[in-house]
Amino acid sequence: MTDNAPRRAPDLAAFAAITDAVEAGAGLPEILRSAARALDASLILIDRSATVLAVAARSPADERSLMRDTDDVTTVELKVAESPVGQLRMRTREGTPDGALLRLVTTLIASEVERVRAPARASEEAAASFQRAVLSRRIEDRDDLTARGK
């Protein structure tokens, strides 16, 4: 399909499968597989610390080429409220998906990454806050220090 060729109409049922997966709490792998079907693409989801969270590729070779970021791979930065949460690497099978639909799908995926990772980040922030308080001697009461440490 060339850029001048008419685009085929999107399969809205395929997009509904993404929202169904999100609503059901199916997890990032199932959401990514649904997105791959809807976009007719191979996808790899990477969080902001460069950890691969999910893969929806046709083969291990396809997955490796997505990781290498070859010429036919499109990288979409995922953000929630202007904060980066990761990236989606994509290789489509039949041309570029409609921009609005791609943005809808990537926004859903970004939101789900943020939702899944939020508890871990909150726990890390609480631990860092406790360490700062201990090192700056802001917690003076020994019992309070012990309770917060636990």
Side-chain angles (χ1 to χ4, degrees):
M1 182 166 149
T2 64
D3 288 340
N4 295 332
R7 294 179 191 259
R8 65 182 170 96
D11 178 3
L12 296 180
F15 288 98
I18 301 169
T19 58
D20 290 346
V22 170
E23 285 179 349
L28 291 171
E30 181 56 35
I31 292 167
L32 201 67
R33 284 190 293 273
S34 296
R37 286 189 296 274
L39 297 171
D40 194 22
S42 292
L43 304 172
I44 191 163
L45 177 60
I46 303 167
D47 73 5
R48 64 180 174 199
S49 68
T51 301
V52 174
L53 300 177
V55 177
R58 289 183 152 188
S59 68
D62 193 21
E63 179 181 342
R64 285 190 299 274
S65 70
L66 284 166
M67 287 301 297
R68 284 193 302 269
D69 203 16
T70 59
D71 289 340
D72 60 343
V73 173
T74 302
T75 301
V76 178
E77 295 300 323
L78 301 175
K79 294 181 180 183
V80 173
E82 297 301 317
S83 296
V85 297
Q87 62 179 231
L88 184 71
R89 293 186 184 172
M90 170 179 65
R91 177 182 302 107
T92 58
R93 294 176 200 19
E94 281 194 34
T96 306
D98 177 76
L101 291 174
L102 179 59
R103 186 165 181 221
L104 174 69
V105 170
T106 57
T107 300
L108 275 170
I109 292 170
S111 296
E112 191 64 8
V113 169
E114 181 69 5
R115 186 191 69 77
V116 168
R117 294 297 207 197
R121 278 195 308 284
S123 180
E124 290 169 9
E125 179 55 37
S129 176
F130 174 71
Q131 286 177 331
R132 286 190 299 273
V134 168
L135 294 174
S136 66
R137 299 182 186 269
R138 287 187 303 218
I139 305 172
E140 296 176 8
D141 181 63
R142 180 181 173 102
D143 291 336
D144 189 22
L145 177 66
T146 302
R148 288 187 190 186
K150 288 181 180 180

